[in-house]
Amino acid sequence: MSDLQARLDKLQLLLGQGVKLVDKPKDDEQANNDTSKDFFGHGPDNSYGVVMSDDWIFEEEKRILAENNLPAQKLLHDTAYAARERQLAANKEKALDCSKFRIGEPVDKDFKFCPLKVMVSYPDRFIGKVNRPRAKPYFTRILFERTWDFFYLHDPTEPARDPYLLVPSAQFEVFLEELNLELDTSLRIPSGLNTDKFFMKFGEGDTPRPRYLRRSQEETSLDVRPWPIINPDDINAFQAAPPRDQLTWRSKMRVVKSGFVPKKGGDPEKAAKKKRHRDQMLRNTLGYLGLQGDPDGHDVVFICVDVEAIERKPNPISEIGFAILDTRDTKGVDPKSVGRGWWPMIKTHHLRVYEYAGLRNHQFVKGCPDAFNFGESIFPPKDKIGEAIMAILDPYLLDERNIVIVGHDVKQDINYFGTMGIDLKVLAELAEPIDTQEIHQAWCDSTQGRSLSAVLNDLDISSKNLHNAGNDAHYTLCAMLGVALEHVRKEEEQSNKMLNSID
C-alpha cells in the first residue's frame, strides 16, 4: 500500500465517509464540463461524496490529528505553564531583591508602593463572584508562607499614632501572578482611576517617604512591639513642604489609611445600625465585668468557644476549644494591664476528635493541633464528642449560672456546635454572645473586622500556636478582657485631660 493510499484510508476513517483523490481539471476542461464545476459538488467522479486534492488531504489530516491528539495539547499546555513559571521566578527574584533596603531608612522617590489596606481589600473590589471565594482565603492570610518587605509611614499631623504599612508594588504583582498559576485565574492590577492606588510614589517637595520596617516570611512577622516612632526629620520636612505638596501627600495618606472608599449604593442606615450594635455589645461586656454600671458585675460565667474543621471536604470538625472565666473568681483581684491579672483564672480545655487526630490543616491555615499551650488535650471519639462537651459545661448548667458565650467571629462557631446537636444560644438562655471581632471594631471605631492575631497585636498580647482550638479560645477570652479594659483606660485618660484643661 502506498503512503498516499494509507493517508487516504486514515482520513476516510477520521471523517467517517468515503474519500477519493482526483486530478484537478485544467481551466479549459473545467470550463467545458459543467458537472465538475462544483469542486465539492455532485460531479460523476464524486462517487464517495467528497473529492479532494492531495494538498487539502495533507492539511486536513494535520488539523484533525491535532484536534484529536490530546497528549499533544497537554504538552502544549505544560510548555506554556512552564514558561509562565520561569517568568514568575524571574519577576519574583527581582521583586524580592531587598539589597538596597536599610531598616528605618526611606528608598528613592521613584519607588512604587502598595498600601496594605489597599492590598487586602483587592478581592472585595476587583475579583468577581465566581473566583472571589477561591481567592479570598489567600488574602485573609496574606502573610502565610509568603515573603514581603514591609515599609511604614507615619502621619506627621498625628505623630503619636502607630505607622501605616505598605509593600513594594512589584511584590503584590508577583503575589497575583502566583495566585493566577495556582488557581488558573487572570488577576491583575486594575486599570483606570484605581491604578495609582496600587503604584504610589512619595516624596514630592521632600514630604515624608515610607521607611523600611522588615522582611516578613511568616504570619507572626508583624508582631512588632513597640512600633518605630516617627522620625523628627519627617515632621520637619512635612511642615517645610509647599502647601500644594502637603495637600498631595495628605491625599495619598488617606488612601494609605483607609484603602478604598466603600462602594456607593451602600445603606447608611444599615451601617449605622451595625455600629450601634457593636457599641452596645462592648457596653454589655463592660457591664458583665463590673467595669461600667454595677461594680459587682452580673455574676456571669464567660464560656469562650472555638472550633477547627478540616479544610478538605466534607470538612469534619477536628478540634473544639473552651476557655472559661467565672466572674466570681475575679472579684477583688487587680486585672492589671489588658487583664493580665485575670488570665491565671481562665480554665482552658482542648478536645480533639479521635478519628481525625492524624489530620492537620495547611492550605488556608497552618494548623497545630498537637501544640496546646494550656494543659493536656483529650481525644473523644466522634460519637462521644457531645458527651465530652457537656462534661465541661454541666457544672455551670447544673449550678444554674448565667452563661455568656464568647468567640471571635462567633456565629461560625455557634453554627458548628449546632451540627453537633448543641444549641449554644439556648444553653446561654438566649443571652447575646460576645464577639471579640465586633467589640474590637467598636473600640477602634472601625468598619473592618480583624483576625484574632491582629486584635492581639493591637492589645500588645503575645500569643503562640494559634489555629489550635484550645489556644484560640484562651487568647480570644484574653482579647475580650483586653478590649474592655483598654476601652475603660482610654475613657479615663480622656476624662482626665478634660479636667486638666478646665483647671
Side-chain angles (χ1 to χ4, degrees), residues 193-238:
L193 296 175
N194 288 315
T195 304
D196 290 344
K197 296 178 181 179
F198 292 88
F199 297 100
M200 302 188 75
K201 296 180 182 180
F202 295 85
E204 297 95 331
D206 289 329
T207 49
R209 287 174 281 159
R211 296 175 178 271
Y212 186 51
L213 178 65
R214 64 179 303 175
R215 170 156 284 194
S216 165
Q217 293 179 304
E218 57 182 351
E219 282 191 302
T220 58
S221 295
L222 292 183
D223 294 351
V224 180
R225 289 296 184 275
W227 287 102
I229 62 173
I230 190 169
N231 191 305
D233 292 343
D234 289 342
I235 298 176
N236 296 333
F238 181 79

Side-chain angles (χ1 to χ4, degrees), residues 348-379:
T348 309
H349 306 266
H350 184 221
L351 310 182
R352 296 179 61 187
V353 180
Y354 178 79
E355 287 83 349
Y356 308 118
L359 302 180
R360 181 189 303 267
N361 288 332
H362 61 86
Q363 184 176 3
F364 299 129
V365 297
K366 189 175 182 180
C368 51
D370 298 324
F372 180 43
N373 300 341
F374 305 101
E376 296 292 330
S377 304
I378 63 173
F379 295 81

Side-chain angles (χ1 to χ4, degrees), residues 157-171:
T157 66
E158 298 177 305
R161 291 186 66 93
D162 287 340
Y164 298 88
L165 298 179
L166 310 91
V167 300
S169 300
Q171 292 184 8

Side-chain angles (χ1 to χ4, degrees), residues 305-322 350-361 369 378-386 389 411-422 424 469-470:
V305 296
D306 184 80
V307 177
E308 297 289 326
I310 298 301
E311 292 168 329
R312 295 179 181 176
K313 290 183 178 180
N315 311 109
I317 292 171
S318 57
E319 299 176 64
I320 303 158
F322 291 94
H350 184 221
L351 310 182
R352 296 179 61 187
V353 180
Y354 178 79
E355 287 83 349
Y356 308 118
L359 302 180
R360 181 189 303 267
N361 288 332
I378 63 173
F379 295 81
K382 61 182 179 181
D383 61 343
K384 300 290 185 182
I385 193 67
I389 291 172
K411 290 180 182 178
Q412 178 172 300
D413 295 304
I414 290 173
N415 290 337
Y416 274 131
F417 271 86
T419 66
M420 294 182 284
I422 298 174
L424 290 180

Side-chain angles (χ1 to χ4, degrees), residues 284-470:
N284 291 345
T285 307
L286 300 176
Y288 292 143
L289 291 168
L291 300 174
Q292 190 176 79
D294 186 350
D296 291 330
H298 287 253
D299 188 34
V300 302
V301 177
F302 294 104
I303 298 180
C304 186
V305 296
D306 184 80
V307 177
E308 297 289 326
I310 298 301
E311 292 168 329
R312 295 179 181 176
K313 290 183 178 180
N315 311 109
I317 292 171
S318 57
E319 299 176 64
I320 303 158
F322 291 94
I324 301 171
L325 179 65
D326 190 335
T327 55
R328 292 178 183 176
D329 296 333
T330 63
K331 293 189 186 306
V333 179
D334 182 3
K336 299 182 180 178
S337 171
V338 295
R340 286 182 171 86
W342 291 346
W343 293 354
M345 299 160 192
I346 297 174
K347 299 178 177 67
T348 309
H349 306 266
H350 184 221
L351 310 182
R352 296 179 61 187
V353 180
Y354 178 79
E355 287 83 349
Y356 308 118
L359 302 180
R360 181 189 303 267
N361 288 332
H362 61 86
Q363 184 176 3
F364 299 129
V365 297
K366 189 175 182 180
C368 51
D370 298 324
F372 180 43
N373 300 341
F374 305 101
E376 296 292 330
S377 304
I378 63 173
F379 295 81
K382 61 182 179 181
D383 61 343
K384 300 290 185 182
I385 193 67
E387 295 178 19
I389 291 172
M390 295 313 298
I392 294 171
L393 302 179
D394 274 346
Y396 308 100
L397 297 174
L398 295 174
D399 202 21
E400 298 184 350
R401 298 297 304 279
N402 297 316
I403 292 173
V404 176
I405 300 298
V406 183
H408 194 81
D409 191 13
V410 71
K411 290 180 182 178
Q412 178 172 300
D413 295 304
I414 290 173
N415 290 337
Y416 274 131
F417 271 86
T419 66
M420 294 182 284
I422 298 174
D423 190 330
L424 290 180
K425 290 184 178 180
V426 172
L427 182 144
E429 296 184 352
L430 303 182
E432 184 179 24
I434 294 173
D435 192 324
T436 50
Q437 190 175 67
E438 293 196 27
I439 64 171
H440 176 261
Q441 287 177 251
W443 174 53
C444 296
D445 194 21
S446 169
T447 59
Q448 297 293 323
R450 304 288 302 282
S451 68
L452 176 59
S453 176
V455 172
L456 294 170
N457 287 342
D458 284 350
L459 295 166
D460 198 19
I461 296 175
S462 60
S463 62
K464 63 178 181 179
N465 300 322
L466 292 178
H467 302 296
N468 171 294

